[in-house]
Amino acid sequence: MEKRKIIEKNNRVNFDKDKLTVLLDIYPVFENLDILRERAKEDGLVEKSDFHITLIGSKTGKKIIQKLKGLSDEERREKIKEIQKIISITDWSYDTKSEYYAITKTFPEYLDENKKPESRSSYVQIVELPTLRGFYARLNQILDMKLKVPLPHITLFSISSIVGKETRGIGIYSEKQMKKLIAKKIEL
């Protein structure tokens, strides 16, 4: 399987202190994007205007917030500083894999204009992010938690049944979760 390193100097880590989420904003060159663009168009998906790799997603961020609620303000600030430090010292280099999936998921907690559960579809590309496991080991140590390491991927195209939310991602928190989703490998 051919891999292509797409690390660029413009990659930027965004840490949201309020939600305790972390995104690695990326500016890649995708070698198969034109082929995927045609398929996505046929499936009614919209190309993302910006790309990122989720390092700490919203569900994980909520778990961290809950954990920190039991601490004093000073202890909470210290934990957040420690998290920021490991984010800043981690080498976030990654390799893309020529591995793409079409994924569909229903979200019963959100209703579309017809009062039906929201349905989202995405095309994602899997990436290798070698430092992610070590980062989560440190994060779990700092927080005394057992957070699962997410499956590193880039959402390239998406669609939602809710008008105006077309580029919402699905949120894939682990390889195990992806296997439970309706995921179909895209052969190019």
Side-chain angles (χ1 to χ4, degrees):
M1 189 175 295
E2 181 183 322
K3 291 187 293 183
R4 185 172 117 107
K5 196 167 260 199
I6 57 168
I7 301 158
E8 301 212 7
K9 291 181 182 178
N10 293 336
N11 292 346
R12 186 176 56 146
V13 178
N14 279 317
F15 177 52
D16 185 321
K17 290 181 189 177
D18 297 324
K19 296 179 183 176
L20 295 181
T21 58
V22 183
L23 302 178
L24 177 61
D25 290 334
I26 60 172
Y27 305 92
V29 175
F30 298 102
E31 54 197 53
N32 294 312
L33 195 59
D34 287 337
I35 297 167
L36 287 168
R37 190 176 280 125
E38 285 301 313
R39 288 195 186 182
K41 187 176 178 182
E42 289 171 14
D43 289 342
L45 277 70
V46 177
E47 187 170 341
K48 301 281 281 186
S49 59
D50 57 358
F51 301 103
H52 67 267
I53 299 169
T54 302
L55 305 174
I56 299 177
S58 58
K59 285 184 182 179
T60 303
K62 286 176 185 175
K63 289 178 184 177
I64 295 170
I65 289 168
Q66 280 303 115
K67 177 71 174 186
L68 296 179
K69 280 185 178 179
L71 303 176
S72 70
D73 288 345
E74 186 176 326
E75 290 172 316
R76 193 169 26 258
R77 280 191 297 273
E78 280 304 309
K79 293 290 183 191
I80 291 172
K81 277 185 188 177
E82 287 182 67
I83 294 168
Q84 283 180 293
K85 182 175 180 177
I86 63 169
I87 291 168
S88 69
I89 64 171
T90 300
D91 175 2
W92 294 112
S93 298
Y94 61 93
D95 289 334
T96 58
K97 295 174 77 174
S98 294
E99 191 174 335
Y100 306 91
Y101 291 90
I103 301 170
T104 302
K105 184 177 178 184
T106 301
F107 293 82
E109 64 270 31
Y110 303 113
L111 301 177
D112 65 16
E113 65 275 1
N114 299 316
K115 307 270 190 248
K116 292 182 181 175
E118 179 183 16
S119 176
R120 297 182 200 168
S121 296
S122 295
Y123 283 6
V124 300
Q125 180 176 20
I126 305 301
V127 299
E128 289 181 7
L129 188 56
T131 57
L132 194 58
R133 285 201 184 285
F135 170 76
Y136 265 81
R138 279 289 295 130
L139 185 63
N140 283 326
Q141 187 178 40
I142 289 167
L143 298 169
D144 191 28
M145 294 180 76
K146 293 182 179 179
L147 299 168
K148 292 183 177 152
V149 180
L151 176 67
H153 67 280
I154 304 165
T155 301
L156 304 171
F157 300 91
S158 61
I159 194 65
S160 167
S161 61
I162 296 182
V163 177
K165 305 291 183 180
E166 288 82 8
T167 59
R168 272 186 171 173
I170 289 177
I172 304 168
Y173 290 92
S174 68
E175 199 168 335
K176 183 178 178 182
Q177 183 201 24
M178 187 167 138
K179 288 177 182 175
K180 288 182 181 179
L181 295 172
I182 303 167
K184 181 181 175 189
K185 189 168 185 173
I186 300 171
E187 299 296 338
L188 300 179

